[in-house]
Amino acid sequence: MSKSAQNISIASHQNNGLNTLQKLGLAIGFIGLFILIVAFYNVSFPNKNLWLSISITSILAGIVVYARSTYLSRPEGISNNGLFHKSLTNKGVLAWIIGVLLTSFYVALYWFPKYLGLGENGNANSGIVGFFDPLSLVLNGKIASQWFVYGTLYTVAILGLGYKFILKYRHNKYQLVRTISVMFFQLGFAFLIPEILEKLNPGKEYFAKDLKNMWPLNYYFFNDWHLKGLLNGGNLGMFMLVFGIAMIFIISPILTYFYGKRWYCSWVCGCGGLAETAGDSFRHLSNSTQKVWKIERWMIHSVLVFSFVMTIAVIFTFLSNNPEMSFITKDQFIYGIVAFLVVFTGALYLFKRNDLDTDAQFTMITLVAIIIISIMINFFSGSQNILFIDSNSLREWYGFAIGSAFSGVIGVGFYPLLGNRVWCRFGCPMAAILGLQQRLFSRFRITTNGGQCISCGNCTTHCEMGIDVRSYAQKGENIVRSSCVGCGICSAVCPRGVLKLENDAEEGRINANEILLGNDVNLMDLINNQK
Amino acid sequence: MENIVIIGNGISGVTLARHIRKQSNHKITIISSETEFFFSRTALMYVFMGHMKFEHTQPYENDFWKKNNINLINASVEHVNTKEKALILNDDTVIVYDKLVIATGSKPNKFGWQGQDLKGVTGLYHKQDLETLEAFSPTCKRAVIVGGGLIGIELAEMLRSRNIPVTFLVREKSFWDAVLPFGESQMINRHILEHHIDLRLETGLLKILSDENGNARAVVTDKNETIECQIVGLTAGVSPNIDFLKNSGIELGRGVKVNRFLETNIKNIYAIGDCAEQYEGIGLRRPIEAVWYTGRMMAEALAQTLTGNPTQYNPGHWFNSAKFLDIEYQTYGWVWAHKKDYEEQFYWEHSSGKKAIRISFHKETRVFLGINTFGIRMRHEFFDKVLTENQSVDYVIHHLAEANFDPEFFTSHKKEIQEQFVKQFVGLKTV
C-alpha cells in the first residue's frame, strides 16, 4: 500500500492539486509579468536595467519552476490529462481572458503603439516601450521601438515555453531536437543577430536582418524602402539581398525536397516557433472537419495569389521609379515573370497533373492566365500600374489585412480559441508555397505502420494543422498533405506506434497499403486491380 | 439490389457497410442501441482522461452516413425471426432483410459474483460504461479493478488521471501472464507500481458489498480483505454479446458459430467481429478473436462475399498492439508466454527497464516465429514480409535497423541487442 496513492479529501478527489513548487512558480512568473504591467502605466523605475532584468528573469524562472514541478513529478510519457477539462485549454474563462488580452495587445502594437508608450514625433519613449530603452541601447544602439519590445517578449515566450515543451515531451527525441532548433533560431537569427548587426552598421538605411525570414512570409522584402535599404546597405545589404533571393529560389526548394516543409515551419520559422512552444497548449483546438479544410484551401491560396500580385506590382513600380538602382529593366522583369509563370504552370501540368485534383488544376491554370493577361494589358498600355491597381495601395492593404490583422491579431490573439496554427493554416503564403512543393516534389511523408491503427483519433485531435490524420492511417495510407508542418505530435501521441515522419524515395510515397490491413489477399490480384 | 441489415455499429459492422457501399448499391441498414454514430471504443479512455472529446472518437463526420446512403437505426434488436427474415426491435418495429449480419461485439464478463450488478460496478466496453464512470468518479475515494488484462490496465490509467486511488486485483501470478512471458510481465508490474497503482497479484474477487442505496461500498478479496471503494471495474475479459439470439435457431457456441465464409448455419445470415466463433481456430488463432483488427478483417472479407465475390476469412500473419500506461507494446507473429517445445526465445531488456524485445524462433531451423516489442516501435511491413518468406532469426537480428519504426533521432539499441544475441545464440549452438 505504501506506493499507492491515497485520497484524504472529504468531499471528492477533485481538489485544486497545485503543489508548493507549482504555486511558487506561478508566483515568481506573475510577479515578473506584473513588473511589466506596472511599467506599462508609465511608472518611472529608478533603475530600468535592473527592473527589466528582474522582470524577464522572474518570468523565465517562474516558467521553469512550474514546468519542472508539473512534468518531472510523473513518469515520461504523454501528458495530456485533463486538456478538455480545463478552462485554459478548453476555451473556458481563462482562454477567453487570454485571447482578449493578446488580441488587444496586438491591436495596440500594430496600430496604436503610442498607447504602449512609443514616443511619436521625436518625443521620448514612455510606458513599456520606454522601459525597454536600456536593453535596446545595449543591443542595437538605438532607443526601443514597439517592435523591439515585441521581439523581446516573443523570444522570452519561445524560450520559456519551449523549455516547458521539452519537459513535456522529454521521452521523444524528435521533439527535443526540433524544439531546441526553434529556440536557437529565434534567439540567434530573429533576435540577437539582427539587433547586433544593426548596431554594427549605424547610419545605413534600415532593412530586415533576420536571415531566416524569407519572402513571401516577409512580404516587404521587395518593397521599395526595403530594396533601397538593401541596395544602399553596403556589403551586408547586398549579401542579404542575394541570400534572400537564393533562399526563395534555391535553398528552400532543395531543403523542402529532402525534408518536407517541416525544415522551415516547425524547425526554423518564428511564427511556427511560437505556435509550437507557447501555442502547444492549444493545438487540439484546431478544427479538423472537411468543411474547414475546404475553407483553408481557398483562404491560403488566395493569400498566396494576393501576395504574389502585390509583389509583382511593387517590384514593377520600383523598377519604373529607380531604373538607376536595378540590375534589370522593368521590361526584362515583366517578360521574366510571364516566362516563369508559363514554364512553371506548364511543367506542373505536364508532369504532376495526376497528383492534383481537377478543380485544383483548373483553378491554377485559370489564375495564371488571368494574371498574365492583366500584366500584358497593363504593360502594353504603358500604364504605371501593373495589374490595374496602384501598387502602393495594394501594398498597404496587404500589410494591413494579411501582415498585421491576420498574422498577428488573429493568428496569435486567437490561439486559445481557434488553435495555435490559424495563421499558418489559413493565411501564410510561405506555407502555401512550401506546401505545394511538399505535396508534389518532396521525399517527406508520414508513414502508416501497416494495419496497426485502431482509429482512436488522438492523431487527428492533436494535429495543429487540423489534418484528419486518422482518415489516412486507418486505411493504411501514408499521409502526404501540403499543410503538414511535420511537428511529429501525431506520431508522439499515437498509442499504437502507427505513425512515423520519414524522408524516403518519392516512389510509392502515396499508397494505399491494403495488403497490410491484415487479410492475406493475393498480392498479384491486388496489384493487377490497382492498375 | 439487396436489403442488407447489420446489427451493431462497431468497427466490424461499419467497415462492412463501407466496403459494401464502395462496391455496390445494395440497401444498407445498421442497427445499434449504443450510439447514433460509429465511434472508436478503443478511444473511450482518452475521453475520460480529457485528451479528447467524445466527438473526436468518431472517425466519420455525422453527415457521412447520409452521403453514403447508409441507414442508421438507433434501437436494440429483441428477436430474430429467421423464417420470415425479419427483426423485431425494442419498440416493436419490424425490419425485414435479405441478408443479415450479426456484428454485436462483446460484453464484459461477470462470473456470478455477489454484488456484480450494484451501482458503481462497471466494465469498460460500451459508451454507457463511460457514463457510469463519469457519474461515480467525482465522489470516488478509491476504485477497485478486477482482472489483469488490457482493459483493466486502461481503466486503472483512466482513474489515475483523475487522481483516484486504484487497487488492481490480478488473479494471476503476474500481470497478463497468460500472454506475456515472465520478463515482459514483470516489467509491466513495475510500471504499474510506478504509476502509484496498488497492484495485488494472485488476488481475486470474492464479493462486492452494498450500501443502503444499492451502491457498491467495498469489495472482499479471496484473501478475505475488505477494501472500501465506490467504483468497481470488472475487466476480466469479454464474451460475445449474443443473448438476444437464443431460440432464434442460429447455432450458438460461446459466440455465433460461423464457417470460413463467416456464414452461420442459416442461409443469408452471417456473423463477424467479436461475436463470431469459428468452428475451428484458424492456424494458431483462437476460435473467437475479440480484437479490433480481426473485426475489421472479417468485415473486409465478408464485404467481398456480399458483393458477389465469395471470399473466405483468411487472416494473414498475427499482429496486435496495446499500450500499458506509458509503455507501448506491439507483437508480430507468435511468441508464447510459455515456450512451446519447438520454440527458442531471445529476450533483451534495456537498463531503463522500460524497453524490451523478445524474439521467438524455431529451435532447429532457426526460422523466425514472432516478436514482442516494448517501448520500441517496429515496422509491420518488415515482419509481415519476414514471416511470409520464412526468414531466419539471424536475418531479423541483422536487419533490426530496417525493422525499426521509432521516430527520427530516437536512440537505437540495435548494437546492444545484436551483441547479446550473438553471445547467447551464435557460436554456442549449431544448427
Side-chain angles (χ1 to χ4, degrees), chain B residues 44-89:
Chain B
L44 281 179
M45 62 181 293
Y46 300 108
V47 176
F48 185 84
M49 290 162 70
H51 296 201
M52 293 163 58
K53 291 205 259 191
F54 183 74
E55 67 205 46
H56 295 130
T57 67
Q58 297 177 175
Y60 305 98
E61 289 179 34
N62 292 350
D63 61 355
F64 174 88
W65 311 100
K66 201 168 224 172
K67 262 197 230 159
N68 287 284
N69 197 14
I70 296 171
N71 308 312
L72 304 178
I73 297 179
N74 200 340
S76 70
V77 176
E78 297 282 303
H79 186 70
V80 180
N81 185 337
T82 56
K83 284 202 188 99
E84 307 285 329
K85 288 191 158 189
L87 308 174
I88 299 162
L89 306 185

Short mmCIF file of all heavy atoms in Angstrom, two decimals, chain B residues 44-89:
data_model
loop_
_atom_site.label_atom_id
_atom_site.label_comp_id
_atom_site.label_asym_id
_atom_site.label_seq_id
_atom_site.Cartn_x
_atom_site.Cartn_y
_atom_site.Cartn_z
N LEU B 44 -12.34 5.42 -25.86
CA LEU B 44 -13.17 5.87 -24.74
C LEU B 44 -12.31 6.36 -23.59
O LEU B 44 -12.61 7.35 -22.93
CB LEU B 44 -14.08 4.74 -24.26
CG LEU B 44 -15.34 4.48 -25.09
CD1 LEU B 44 -16.12 3.32 -24.50
CD2 LEU B 44 -16.21 5.73 -25.14
N MET B 45 -11.21 5.64 -23.35
CA MET B 45 -10.36 6.01 -22.21
C MET B 45 -9.85 7.45 -22.35
O MET B 45 -9.75 8.18 -21.38
CB MET B 45 -9.19 5.04 -22.06
CG MET B 45 -8.25 5.01 -23.24
SD MET B 45 -6.89 3.81 -23.00
CE MET B 45 -5.98 4.53 -21.65
N TYR B 46 -9.55 7.85 -23.59
CA TYR B 46 -8.98 9.19 -23.78
C TYR B 46 -10.02 10.29 -23.57
O TYR B 46 -9.67 11.42 -23.27
CB TYR B 46 -8.35 9.29 -25.17
CG TYR B 46 -7.24 8.28 -25.36
CD1 TYR B 46 -7.39 7.19 -26.17
CD2 TYR B 46 -6.06 8.43 -24.63
CE1 TYR B 46 -6.38 6.25 -26.30
CE2 TYR B 46 -5.05 7.49 -24.75
CZ TYR B 46 -5.21 6.41 -25.59
OH TYR B 46 -4.21 5.48 -25.69
N VAL B 47 -11.29 9.94 -23.75
CA VAL B 47 -12.33 10.91 -23.47
C VAL B 47 -12.40 11.16 -21.96
O VAL B 47 -12.44 12.30 -21.50
CB VAL B 47 -13.69 10.42 -24.01
CG1 VAL B 47 -14.79 11.39 -23.64
CG2 VAL B 47 -13.62 10.22 -25.51
N PHE B 48 -12.37 10.08 -21.21
CA PHE B 48 -12.42 10.21 -19.75
C PHE B 48 -11.21 10.97 -19.23
O PHE B 48 -11.29 11.77 -18.31
CB PHE B 48 -12.47 8.81 -19.12
CG PHE B 48 -12.65 8.82 -17.63
CD1 PHE B 48 -13.92 8.92 -17.08
CD2 PHE B 48 -11.56 8.72 -16.78
CE1 PHE B 48 -14.10 8.93 -15.71
CE2 PHE B 48 -11.72 8.72 -15.40
CZ PHE B 48 -13.00 8.83 -14.86
N MET B 49 -10.06 10.72 -19.85
CA MET B 49 -8.83 11.35 -19.38
C MET B 49 -8.69 12.80 -19.85
O MET B 49 -7.75 13.48 -19.46
CB MET B 49 -7.61 10.55 -19.87
CG MET B 49 -7.50 9.20 -19.18
SD MET B 49 -6.43 8.06 -20.08
CE MET B 49 -4.84 8.80 -19.83
N GLY B 50 -9.60 13.23 -20.72
CA GLY B 50 -9.55 14.62 -21.17
C GLY B 50 -8.57 14.86 -22.29
O GLY B 50 -8.22 16.00 -22.58
N HIS B 51 -8.10 13.80 -22.96
CA HIS B 51 -7.23 14.00 -24.11
C HIS B 51 -8.06 14.33 -25.35
O HIS B 51 -7.56 14.91 -26.30
CB HIS B 51 -6.42 12.74 -24.43
CG HIS B 51 -5.47 12.34 -23.35
ND1 HIS B 51 -4.39 11.54 -23.58
CD2 HIS B 51 -5.42 12.63 -22.03
CE1 HIS B 51 -3.72 11.35 -22.45
NE2 HIS B 51 -4.34 11.99 -21.50
N MET B 52 -9.30 13.88 -25.33
CA MET B 52 -10.18 14.07 -26.49
C MET B 52 -11.59 14.30 -26.00
O MET B 52 -11.93 14.01 -24.86
CB MET B 52 -10.18 12.77 -27.34
CG MET B 52 -8.87 12.49 -28.01
SD MET B 52 -8.69 10.80 -28.59
CE MET B 52 -10.01 10.62 -29.67
N LYS B 53 -12.42 14.82 -26.92
CA LYS B 53 -13.85 14.89 -26.63
C LYS B 53 -14.51 13.70 -27.30
O LYS B 53 -13.95 13.11 -28.23
CB LYS B 53 -14.44 16.19 -27.18
CG LYS B 53 -13.96 17.40 -26.42
CD LYS B 53 -14.97 18.53 -26.54
CE LYS B 53 -14.53 19.54 -27.57
NZ LYS B 53 -15.33 20.76 -27.54
N PHE B 54 -15.72 13.38 -26.88
CA PHE B 54 -16.35 12.20 -27.46
C PHE B 54 -16.44 12.31 -28.98
O PHE B 54 -16.22 11.33 -29.69
CB PHE B 54 -17.74 11.95 -26.86
CG PHE B 54 -18.36 10.70 -27.40
CD1 PHE B 54 -17.90 9.46 -27.01
CD2 PHE B 54 -19.35 10.77 -28.38
CE1 PHE B 54 -18.42 8.29 -27.55
CE2 PHE B 54 -19.87 9.61 -28.94
CZ PHE B 54 -19.41 8.38 -28.51
N GLU B 55 -16.75 13.52 -29.48
CA GLU B 55 -16.90 13.66 -30.94
C GLU B 55 -15.61 13.29 -31.68
O GLU B 55 -15.64 12.87 -32.83
CB GLU B 55 -17.32 15.10 -31.27
CG GLU B 55 -16.23 16.11 -30.96
CD GLU B 55 -16.76 17.52 -30.70
OE1 GLU B 55 -17.74 17.64 -29.94
OE2 GLU B 55 -16.21 18.47 -31.25
N HIS B 56 -14.47 13.45 -31.00
CA HIS B 56 -13.20 13.10 -31.66
C HIS B 56 -13.04 11.59 -31.86
O HIS B 56 -12.19 11.16 -32.64
CB HIS B 56 -12.01 13.60 -30.82
CG HIS B 56 -11.94 15.08 -30.73
ND1 HIS B 56 -11.81 15.74 -29.53
CD2 HIS B 56 -12.02 16.04 -31.67
CE1 HIS B 56 -11.78 17.04 -29.75
NE2 HIS B 56 -11.91 17.25 -31.04
N THR B 57 -13.83 10.81 -31.13
CA THR B 57 -13.70 9.36 -31.30
C THR B 57 -14.47 8.87 -32.53
O THR B 57 -14.40 7.70 -32.86
CB THR B 57 -14.25 8.60 -30.07
OG1 THR B 57 -15.67 8.81 -30.01
CG2 THR B 57 -13.63 9.08 -28.79
N GLN B 58 -15.20 9.77 -33.16
CA GLN B 58 -15.99 9.38 -34.33
C GLN B 58 -15.16 9.56 -35.60
O GLN B 58 -14.91 10.69 -36.01
CB GLN B 58 -17.28 10.21 -34.41
CG GLN B 58 -18.18 9.98 -33.22
CD GLN B 58 -19.43 10.84 -33.24
OE1 GLN B 58 -20.27 10.69 -32.38
NE2 GLN B 58 -19.55 11.76 -34.18
N PRO B 59 -14.77 8.45 -36.23
CA PRO B 59 -13.90 8.57 -37.40
C PRO B 59 -14.57 9.21 -38.61
O PRO B 59 -13.89 9.65 -39.52
CB PRO B 59 -13.52 7.12 -37.71
CG PRO B 59 -13.71 6.40 -36.43
CD PRO B 59 -14.90 7.06 -35.80
N TYR B 60 -15.89 9.21 -38.66
CA TYR B 60 -16.57 9.81 -39.80
C TYR B 60 -17.48 10.91 -39.32
O TYR B 60 -18.10 10.80 -38.26
CB TYR B 60 -17.37 8.75 -40.58
CG TYR B 60 -16.49 7.59 -40.99
CD1 TYR B 60 -16.45 6.42 -40.24
CD2 TYR B 60 -15.63 7.71 -42.08
CE1 TYR B 60 -15.59 5.39 -40.58
CE2 TYR B 60 -14.79 6.67 -42.43
CZ TYR B 60 -14.77 5.52 -41.67
OH TYR B 60 -13.91 4.51 -42.01
N GLU B 61 -17.58 11.96 -40.11
CA GLU B 61 -18.44 13.07 -39.72
C GLU B 61 -19.90 12.62 -39.80
O GLU B 61 -20.24 11.69 -40.51
CB GLU B 61 -18.17 14.28 -40.62
CG GLU B 61 -16.80 14.89 -40.31
CD GLU B 61 -16.47 16.09 -41.18
OE1 GLU B 61 -17.39 16.85 -41.54
OE2 GLU B 61 -15.29 16.28 -41.50
N ASN B 62 -20.77 13.33 -39.09
CA ASN B 62 -22.14 12.86 -38.94
C ASN B 62 -22.92 12.78 -40.25
O ASN B 62 -23.84 11.99 -40.38
CB ASN B 62 -22.89 13.75 -37.94
CG ASN B 62 -22.35 13.57 -36.54
OD1 ASN B 62 -21.57 12.66 -36.30
ND2 ASN B 62 -22.76 14.42 -35.62
N ASP B 63 -22.52 13.58 -41.24
CA ASP B 63 -23.27 13.52 -42.50
C ASP B 63 -22.74 12.44 -43.44
O ASP B 63 -23.27 12.23 -44.52
CB ASP B 63 -23.26 14.88 -43.20
CG ASP B 63 -21.85 15.33 -43.54
OD1 ASP B 63 -20.89 14.61 -43.16
OD2 ASP B 63 -21.68 16.37 -44.20
N PHE B 64 -21.69 11.74 -43.01
CA PHE B 64 -21.09 10.70 -43.83
C PHE B 64 -22.10 9.62 -44.20
O PHE B 64 -22.14 9.12 -45.32
CB PHE B 64 -19.92 10.08 -43.04
CG PHE B 64 -19.28 8.88 -43.69
CD1 PHE B 64 -18.25 9.05 -44.59
CD2 PHE B 64 -19.69 7.59 -43.38
CE1 PHE B 64 -17.64 7.94 -45.17
CE2 PHE B 64 -19.09 6.49 -43.96
CZ PHE B 64 -18.06 6.67 -44.87
N TRP B 65 -22.95 9.27 -43.24
CA TRP B 65 -23.85 8.13 -43.42
C TRP B 65 -24.92 8.44 -44.43
O TRP B 65 -25.24 7.62 -45.28
CB TRP B 65 -24.43 7.73 -42.06
CG TRP B 65 -23.31 7.61 -41.06
CD1 TRP B 65 -22.95 8.54 -40.12
CD2 TRP B 65 -22.36 6.56 -40.97
NE1 TRP B 65 -21.83 8.12 -39.44
CE2 TRP B 65 -21.45 6.90 -39.93
CE3 TRP B 65 -22.18 5.35 -41.65
CZ2 TRP B 65 -20.38 6.08 -39.57
CZ3 TRP B 65 -21.12 4.54 -41.28
CH2 TRP B 65 -20.24 4.90 -40.26
N LYS B 66 -25.45 9.64 -44.35
CA LYS B 66 -26.46 10.05 -45.31
C LYS B 66 -25.84 10.14 -46.71
O LYS B 66 -26.39 9.65 -47.69
CB LYS B 66 -27.03 11.40 -44.89
CG LYS B 66 -28.40 11.68 -45.48
CD LYS B 66 -29.05 12.87 -44.82
CE LYS B 66 -30.52 12.59 -44.52
NZ LYS B 66 -31.11 13.67 -43.71
N LYS B 67 -24.67 10.78 -46.77
CA LYS B 67 -23.97 10.94 -48.05
C LYS B 67 -23.75 9.59 -48.72
O LYS B 67 -23.81 9.48 -49.94
CB LYS B 67 -22.60 11.57 -47.81
CG LYS B 67 -22.54 13.07 -48.03
CD LYS B 67 -21.08 13.48 -48.17
CE LYS B 67 -20.74 14.64 -47.27
NZ LYS B 67 -19.31 14.76 -47.00
N ASN B 68 -23.46 8.58 -47.93
CA ASN B 68 -23.17 7.27 -48.49
C ASN B 68 -24.38 6.34 -48.48
O ASN B 68 -24.24 5.14 -48.68
CB ASN B 68 -22.00 6.63 -47.75
CG ASN B 68 -20.70 7.31 -48.10
OD1 ASN B 68 -20.16 7.09 -49.17
ND2 ASN B 68 -20.22 8.17 -47.22
N ASN B 69 -25.52 6.94 -48.20
CA ASN B 69 -26.76 6.18 -48.26
C ASN B 69 -26.71 4.93 -47.38
O ASN B 69 -27.02 3.83 -47.81
CB ASN B 69 -27.05 5.82 -49.72
CG ASN B 69 -28.49 5.41 -49.89
OD1 ASN B 69 -29.31 5.64 -49.00
ND2 ASN B 69 -28.79 4.77 -51.01
N ILE B 70 -26.28 5.11 -46.15
CA ILE B 70 -26.30 4.02 -45.17
C ILE B 70 -27.30 4.42 -44.09
O ILE B 70 -27.14 5.47 -43.45
CB ILE B 70 -24.89 3.81 -44.57
CG1 ILE B 70 -23.93 3.35 -45.66
CG2 ILE B 70 -24.94 2.82 -43.42
CD1 ILE B 70 -22.47 3.31 -45.24
N ASN B 71 -28.35 3.62 -43.93
CA ASN B 71 -29.39 3.97 -42.95
C ASN B 71 -28.96 3.56 -41.55
O ASN B 71 -28.45 2.46 -41.36
CB ASN B 71 -30.70 3.24 -43.26
CG ASN B 71 -31.12 3.45 -44.69
OD1 ASN B 71 -31.12 4.59 -45.16
ND2 ASN B 71 -31.43 2.36 -45.38
N LEU B 72 -29.19 4.43 -40.60
CA LEU B 72 -28.85 4.11 -39.21
C LEU B 72 -30.14 4.03 -38.41
O LEU B 72 -30.99 4.91 -38.51
CB LEU B 72 -27.94 5.19 -38.63
CG LEU B 72 -26.64 5.48 -39.38
CD1 LEU B 72 -25.89 6.61 -38.69
CD2 LEU B 72 -25.77 4.24 -39.46
N ILE B 73 -30.27 3.00 -37.61
CA ILE B 73 -31.43 2.90 -36.71
C ILE B 73 -30.91 2.77 -35.29
O ILE B 73 -30.08 1.91 -35.00
CB ILE B 73 -32.30 1.67 -37.06
CG1 ILE B 73 -32.87 1.83 -38.47
CG2 ILE B 73 -33.41 1.49 -36.03
CD1 ILE B 73 -33.73 0.65 -38.91
N ASN B 74 -31.39 3.66 -34.43
CA ASN B 74 -30.93 3.65 -33.05
C ASN B 74 -31.92 2.85 -32.20
O ASN B 74 -32.88 3.41 -31.67
CB ASN B 74 -30.81 5.10 -32.56
CG ASN B 74 -29.92 5.21 -31.35
OD1 ASN B 74 -29.68 4.22 -30.66
ND2 ASN B 74 -29.44 6.40 -31.09
N ALA B 75 -31.72 1.56 -32.11
CA ALA B 75 -32.64 0.69 -31.36
C ALA B 75 -31.93 -0.61 -31.08
O ALA B 75 -30.86 -0.88 -31.65
CB ALA B 75 -33.90 0.44 -32.16
N SER B 76 -32.50 -1.43 -30.21
CA SER B 76 -31.88 -2.73 -30.00
C SER B 76 -32.79 -3.81 -30.57
O SER B 76 -34.01 -3.66 -30.65
CB SER B 76 -31.62 -2.97 -28.50
OG SER B 76 -32.83 -3.15 -27.83
N VAL B 77 -32.16 -4.89 -31.00
CA VAL B 77 -32.91 -5.98 -31.62
C VAL B 77 -33.32 -6.96 -30.52
O VAL B 77 -32.49 -7.44 -29.75
CB VAL B 77 -32.05 -6.71 -32.67
CG1 VAL B 77 -32.79 -7.91 -33.24
CG2 VAL B 77 -31.66 -5.73 -33.78
N GLU B 78 -34.63 -7.22 -30.44
CA GLU B 78 -35.12 -8.11 -29.39
C GLU B 78 -35.16 -9.56 -29.88
O GLU B 78 -34.92 -10.48 -29.12
CB GLU B 78 -36.55 -7.71 -28.99
CG GLU B 78 -36.64 -6.32 -28.41
CD GLU B 78 -36.19 -6.28 -26.97
OE1 GLU B 78 -36.76 -7.02 -26.15
OE2 GLU B 78 -35.26 -5.52 -26.67
N HIS B 79 -35.48 -9.71 -31.16
CA HIS B 79 -35.69 -11.07 -31.65
C HIS B 79 -35.38 -11.15 -33.13
O HIS B 79 -35.64 -10.22 -33.88
CB HIS B 79 -37.15 -11.48 -31.37
CG HIS B 79 -37.41 -12.92 -31.72
ND1 HIS B 79 -36.89 -13.97 -31.01
CD2 HIS B 79 -38.12 -13.48 -32.72
CE1 HIS B 79 -37.27 -15.11 -31.54
NE2 HIS B 79 -38.02 -14.84 -32.60
N VAL B 80 -34.84 -12.31 -33.55
CA VAL B 80 -34.59 -12.53 -34.96
C VAL B 80 -35.49 -13.66 -35.43
O VAL B 80 -35.44 -14.77 -34.89
CB VAL B 80 -33.11 -12.91 -35.22
CG1 VAL B 80 -32.87 -13.15 -36.71
CG2 VAL B 80 -32.18 -11.84 -34.69
N ASN B 81 -36.32 -13.38 -36.40
CA ASN B 81 -37.19 -14.41 -36.98
C ASN B 81 -36.59 -14.84 -38.31
O ASN B 81 -36.74 -14.18 -39.33
CB ASN B 81 -38.59 -13.83 -37.16
CG ASN B 81 -39.57 -14.90 -37.63
OD1 ASN B 81 -39.15 -15.91 -38.22
ND2 ASN B 81 -40.84 -14.68 -37.36
N THR B 82 -35.90 -15.98 -38.27
CA THR B 82 -35.14 -16.37 -39.46
C THR B 82 -36.05 -16.87 -40.57
O THR B 82 -35.67 -16.83 -41.73
CB THR B 82 -34.12 -17.46 -39.10
OG1 THR B 82 -34.83 -18.55 -38.51
CG2 THR B 82 -33.09 -16.95 -38.13
N LYS B 83 -37.23 -17.37 -40.22
CA LYS B 83 -38.14 -17.87 -41.26
C LYS B 83 -38.73 -16.73 -42.06
O LYS B 83 -38.78 -16.77 -43.28
CB LYS B 83 -39.25 -18.69 -40.60
CG LYS B 83 -38.76 -20.05 -40.17
CD LYS B 83 -39.90 -21.04 -40.02
CE LYS B 83 -39.35 -22.32 -39.39
NZ LYS B 83 -39.61 -22.37 -37.93
N GLU B 84 -39.17 -15.70 -41.35
CA GLU B 84 -39.78 -14.54 -42.01
C GLU B 84 -38.71 -13.56 -42.50
O GLU B 84 -39.03 -12.55 -43.12
CB GLU B 84 -40.72 -13.79 -41.04
CG GLU B 84 -41.76 -14.66 -40.38
CD GLU B 84 -42.88 -15.01 -41.33
OE1 GLU B 84 -43.17 -14.19 -42.22
OE2 GLU B 84 -43.43 -16.13 -41.21
N LYS B 85 -37.46 -13.84 -42.16
CA LYS B 85 -36.37 -12.90 -42.45
C LYS B 85 -36.71 -11.51 -41.91
O LYS B 85 -36.74 -10.52 -42.65
CB LYS B 85 -36.11 -12.83 -43.95
CG LYS B 85 -35.45 -14.07 -44.51
CD LYS B 85 -35.01 -13.78 -45.93
CE LYS B 85 -33.91 -14.71 -46.36
NZ LYS B 85 -33.35 -14.30 -47.63
N ALA B 86 -37.00 -11.48 -40.61
CA ALA B 86 -37.41 -10.20 -40.01
C ALA B 86 -36.79 -10.05 -38.62
O ALA B 86 -36.51 -11.04 -37.94
CB ALA B 86 -38.92 -10.13 -39.93
N LEU B 87 -36.58 -8.80 -38.22
CA LEU B 87 -36.09 -8.49 -36.88
C LEU B 87 -37.18 -7.73 -36.15
O LEU B 87 -37.89 -6.92 -36.73
CB LEU B 87 -34.86 -7.59 -36.95
CG LEU B 87 -33.71 -8.02 -37.83
CD1 LEU B 87 -32.66 -6.92 -37.88
CD2 LEU B 87 -33.10 -9.30 -37.28
N ILE B 88 -37.29 -7.99 -34.85
CA ILE B 88 -38.22 -7.20 -34.05
C ILE B 88 -37.40 -6.34 -33.10
O ILE B 88 -36.56 -6.85 -32.36
CB ILE B 88 -39.19 -8.11 -33.28
CG1 ILE B 88 -40.01 -8.92 -34.29
CG2 ILE B 88 -40.12 -7.29 -32.40
CD1 ILE B 88 -40.68 -10.13 -33.71
N LEU B 89 -37.63 -5.05 -33.15
CA LEU B 89 -36.84 -4.12 -32.34
C LEU B 89 -37.50 -3.87 -30.99
O LEU B 89 -38.65 -4.27 -30.78
CB LEU B 89 -36.66 -2.79 -33.08
CG LEU B 89 -36.08 -2.88 -34.49
CD1 LEU B 89 -35.84 -1.49 -35.06
CD2 LEU B 89 -34.77 -3.67 -34.49
#
